[in-house]
Amino acid sequence: MAADTRRESDVSRESDARHGSDAGGSARAAEPRTLGPIPVPSASRFRPLLGLFVPLALVVVWHALVTTGVFAAYQLPPPLRVAKTLYGMAASGELWGHVAITLQRVALGAGLGIVVGTVFGTLTGLSRTASDLLDPLLQSLKNIPSLAWVPLFLLWFGIGETAKVLLISVGAFFPVYLNLSTGIAAVDEELLEVAEVYDLGRVESLRRVVFPAALPDLLVGIRGGVGLAWMFVVAAELIAASQGIGFLLSDGRALARPDIIVGSILLFAFLGNCSDVAVKEVRNRVVGR
Amino acid sequence: MSSDADADVTPSSADGVDAATPTGEADPDSSTADPVLAVDDLRKRYDDTVALDGVDLAVADEEFVAVVGPSGCGKSTLLRVLSGLEAEFGGRVAVDGTDVRDGGSDAVGMVFQEPRLLDWADVRENVAVGLPSDVDPASPPARERVDDLIETVGLDGFAESRPDELSGGMAQRVSLARGLAYDPSVLLLDEPFSALDRLTKADQQDHLLDVWEERGTTVVLVTHDVEEAVYLADRVVVLSGQPGTVASVVDVDIDRPRDRADADLVALRREVTDALGR
């Protein structure tokens, strides 16, 4: 599973790069057009909405498949039913508790993972010895699937919040560590020579040359880390939780309520996407040049 | 502010008495000529290859010296040694009487072949990299000095620009301003114009002369361009290749401003070219 999720984060990184070049292209093409006195908004402004087109079409197909009886309603509920269930839970207030606790776990876990990943990434990026000592171990630990950690974490930390947050932080740690470590180690030798010639000193050259140069890598790592935090929160909540979206998911299975299952999955997709967009926005602001 | 710093440099080197230099250990060679830069019997090898073999060079205060040689003759290695980027070498290299291994390299500024700017930082921040490490770049005098340097290299109005908004020639001038930022005793330039087109190159050369005359900096320019060397320098040191040794030294006693087509200049160009064995 971890392998899959990692591939998933790679894909998102690629699509991101493509998106960047698209944006550049459309910005160049965007010349103000007018229709008589009325300015016509350029087509590129609506481009992001294109991404909604396929999901909406899928919902229509989904609806059609269920109503025509291709899928039985107990296996796949119609989209309206899922919407109604979610709406009902939101109206009764039940949903918000689940969403809030899941968001809290992801935020704490991702935050912890990012901090620890930054520390280790800096250490191994700067010191060849630290890298030789730690990197082989961390590289093999990263291949352990999230679900494999669960029994151990339950044994060590019980079924409370600590176990969940720590499990999520394990997921968030690796992309941050890997990207930052490589980023720091790959800082242009020529710039380091500049820092040396001008006697910036260790601390100043880190602050003024190394960290700014590796910042884009750190942000890519954070984006991957937040993505993996969402993968790991499911593992944490599926197994030992009485609240959270993951709990809702397993509860839906226990109650044979496919509308709850599908609704939870959609919630994960929605929230995960929101956090990804937010991290991407932060990155564009920081690195946007 | 720059004139103050210039004044700091002049007494020690011009009068030949190390009254102002705090270097406790007076070296025997500098007592007679007291060059700003003294290279004695410099030998440098990388594994099996000998890059420099017994190079001697003395550069006086406010002198402009060009070092030419075929590629692979160790020109750049020479500058790397002078700037303190090479920890191990044989012989003695001193700036202002202090060995480069004992911090003498702190007194040199370096302009690399490529601008080597921080591409996330604006021009002001890039120039500030060259300020002495005990100066807070945010302090008003430091800021004033950086802006003054930006003006000196003709980039007023570009202080807030990023390197990717500048042309190649402009980026190289940012690098020059950075090299001047702590009023170096010696400014080293490693083929700084080799990546520029012919017209820009001529402009930048004249610009460098202006800055040199205005600020009275001592300059060592490494280049493979004989025309450039003869046009700019007071003295041209010809290195012969593999291993690098000084083949000859050609004095250019022609008043500035020089005409690139001047007959004497053309004759000297030929002399340097002959010395290169071409």
Side-chain angles (χ1 to χ4, degrees):
Chain A
M1 179 187 167
D4 284 340
T5 57
R6 204 156 298 112
R7 212 174 305 135
E8 197 166 318
S9 67
D10 288 344
V11 168
S12 71
R13 205 175 308 158
E14 273 168 39
S15 71
D16 188 35
R18 239 182 300 132
H19 182 79
S21 62
D22 276 2
S26 56
R28 248 178 282 120
E31 283 171 18
R33 281 179 295 175
T34 52
L35 187 72
I38 310 153
V40 178
S42 72
S44 63
R45 281 186 54 196
F46 297 109
R47 198 153 277 278
L49 296 179
L50 279 181
L52 292 175
F53 193 75
V54 175
L56 284 177
L58 280 176
V59 170
V60 172
V61 172
W62 168 16
H63 181 78
L65 287 176
V66 180
T67 47
T68 55
V70 176
F71 290 108
Y74 71 88
Q75 284 177 326
L76 184 67
L80 269 178
R81 173 108 188 77
V82 173
K84 256 186 214 155
T85 305
L86 283 178
Y87 179 77
M89 290 170 72
S92 74
E94 185 194 349
L95 185 63
W96 305 121
H98 293 298
V99 170
I101 192 74
T102 298
L103 282 177
Q104 181 192 315
R105 285 166 186 155
V106 169
L108 289 177
L112 182 62
I114 288 167
V115 169
V116 180
T118 305
V119 170
F120 277 82
T122 306
L123 205 65
T124 54
L126 290 177
S127 152
R128 187 65 209 275
T129 315
S131 174
D132 288 347
L133 279 173
L134 293 171
D135 199 59
L137 172 71
L138 292 171
Q139 292 287 353
S140 42
L141 286 181
K142 85 171 188 217
N143 292 316
I144 298 174
S146 57
L147 283 170
W149 288 110
V150 173
L152 201 58
F153 274 57
L154 290 181
L155 196 63
W156 287 348
F157 306 108
I159 55 166
E161 286 303 298
T162 316
K164 297 182 189 68
V165 168
L166 286 177
L167 182 68
I168 294 164
S169 70
V170 168
F173 168 82
F174 287 105
V176 176
Y177 163 74
L178 293 171
N179 279 287
L180 184 60
S181 176
T182 340
I184 288 182
V187 171
D188 196 346
E189 190 63 34
E190 296 192 335
L191 290 183
L192 296 177
E193 282 186 359
V194 170
E196 198 182 328
V197 166
Y198 292 108
D199 306 304
L200 284 189
R202 188 111 178 110
V203 176
E204 280 295 282
S205 71
L206 283 181
R207 188 176 73 80
R208 283 157 85 175
V209 180
V210 176
F211 284 129
L215 185 62
D217 298 291
L218 174 65
L219 289 165
V220 166
I222 288 179
R223 202 174 160 207
V226 170
L228 276 187
W230 281 101
M231 309 294 161
F232 275 61
V233 78
V234 183
E237 292 184 343
L238 270 180
I239 286 167
S242 54
Q243 243 196 333
I245 305 174
F247 163 75
L248 214 54
L249 195 65
S250 68
D251 199 38
R253 189 185 57 98
L255 298 172
R257 288 280 300 275
D259 51 335
I260 294 183
I261 297 176
V262 175
S264 308
I265 291 173
L266 290 179
L267 265 181
F268 271 127
F270 176 73
L271 292 174
N273 194 44
C274 283
S275 67
D276 189 55
V277 168
V279 176
K280 201 164 88 182
E281 188 57 31
V282 169
R283 199 195 64 176
N284 288 346
R285 296 242 169 136
V286 176
V287 195
R289 45 174 182 242
Chain B
M1 170 148 187
S2 63
S3 56
D4 289 354
D6 286 350
D8 288 344
V9 177
T10 353
S12 60
S13 37
D15 301 341
V17 192
D18 47 358
T21 41
T23 51
E25 206 183 338
D27 51 290
D29 300 332
S30 71
S31 52
T32 46
D34 196 14
V36 173
L37 175 70
V39 178
D40 295 312
D41 192 28
L42 170 61
R43 283 158 287 115
K44 170 72 191 169
R45 57 190 306 154
Y46 293 105
D47 299 327
D48 301 341
T49 22
V50 180
L52 295 169
D53 190 17
V55 171
D56 296 308
L57 176 69
V59 181
D61 191 32
E62 299 193 16
E63 196 181 9
F64 194 133
V65 171
V67 177
V68 296
S71 26
C73 73
K75 305 187 294 278
S76 293
T77 305
L78 175 63
L79 284 201
R80 290 179 63 83
V81 170
L82 298 185
S83 62
L85 285 174
E86 299 292 342
E88 286 176 14
F89 56 85
R92 191 176 169 283
V93 177
V95 178
D96 284 339
T98 311
D99 197 289
V100 292
R101 280 167 291 202
D102 302 334
S105 65
D106 292 0
V108 302
M110 174 95 161
V111 176
F112 294 92
Q113 198 166 344
E114 324 77 25
R116 300 198 183 182
L117 303 178
L118 310 175
D119 59 5
W120 55 86
D122 63 14
V123 167
R124 187 176 279 133
E125 210 177 323
N126 267 293
V127 174
V129 166
L131 289 171
S133 44
D134 55 347
V135 171
D136 173 15
S139 69
R143 226 180 136 77
E144 198 177 303
R145 173 161 177 71
V146 167
D147 285 345
D148 178 46
L149 284 163
I150 292 172
E151 202 187 310
T152 304
V153 297
L155 289 175
D156 0 358
F158 289 96
E160 258 104 64
S161 301
R162 304 262 174 165
D164 59 4
E165 294 163 346
L166 305 175
S167 68
M170 289 160 87
Q172 197 54 289
R173 276 184 282 162
V174 176
S175 173
L176 175 62
R178 180 177 66 190
L180 292 167
Y182 56 30
D183 258 312
S185 299
V186 188
L187 180 66
L188 308 173
L189 299 120
D190 186 6
E191 305 194 22
F193 309 128
S194 61
L196 304 176
D197 66 81
R198 211 178 162 75
L199 279 176
T200 317
K201 189 173 182 171
D203 285 347
Q204 301 290 322
Q205 288 168 348
D206 289 328
H207 179 77
L208 174 64
L209 280 181
D210 290 344
V211 172
W212 170 66
E213 276 165 9
E214 188 187 321
R215 305 189 79 92
T217 317
T218 309
V219 173
V220 175
L221 167 78
V222 154
T223 180
H224 60 257
D225 183 340
V226 175
E227 189 185 335
E228 176 173 281
V230 173
Y231 177 68
L232 292 174
D234 295 323
R235 203 147 54 95
V236 178
V237 175
V238 182
L239 290 189
S240 68
Q242 277 178 0
T245 49
V246 177
S248 83
V249 178
V250 178
D251 287 312
V252 187
D253 286 323
I254 299 173
D255 289 338
R256 297 188 178 86
R258 295 170 178 167
D259 180 355
R260 286 172 197 268
D262 186 291
D264 294 339
L265 211 59
V266 173
L268 284 169
R269 206 184 293 163
R270 187 158 307 130
E271 192 181 326
V272 172
T273 313
D274 288 345
L276 280 168
R278 298 289 150 114

